[in-house]
Amino acid sequence: MNNLKIMSVGAHNYADMRTGQLPPAQDPVSWRVHLLPHMEEDALYAQFNVKEPWDGPRNRPLASRLVKTYTSVGGPTAPGETHYR
């Protein structure tokens, strides 16, 4: 439950900085990438190229990095995947 709270606060903080707009679903990276700096994951966010697709050459290796907030209690997932959509 705490993970959902952290993501919700991150989304609200993102929207506050962008005149009420929520992060895009995929533009070309996921909304999960756009929320990183609002969830104390600034260092990981800084490594992403947000102008490149999530599976682009620079971003693909980062997809397997574990972000604790995106780890679900719904069971294990493959590296770089999450139950949160």
Side-chain angles (χ1 to χ4, degrees):
M1 190 64 128
N2 195 47
N3 289 349
L4 293 174
K5 179 181 175 183
I6 292 169
M7 284 186 274
S8 296
V9 169
H12 282 280
N13 290 340
Y14 178 97
D16 287 345
M17 295 179 67
R18 289 167 182 81
T19 61
Q21 294 181 347
L22 291 173
Q26 192 150 343
D27 177 50
V29 295
S30 167
W31 59 270
R32 291 179 297 273
V33 173
H34 289 291
L35 291 188
L36 290 173
H38 305 283
M39 300 183 333
E40 299 183 4
E41 292 286 347
D42 303 63
L44 179 56
Y45 180 78
Q47 295 175 52
F48 275 93
N49 180 347
V50 296
K51 297 183 190 296
E52 179 181 292
W54 69 269
D55 59 350
R58 180 174 171 185
N59 293 339
R60 182 174 277 293
L62 301 171
S64 63
R65 298 275 301 270
L66 177 66
V67 176
K68 187 176 180 189
T69 303
Y70 296 147
T71 304
S72 169
V73 295
T77 60
E81 293 185 4
T82 180
H83 291 284
Y84 296 115
R85 303 273 187 251

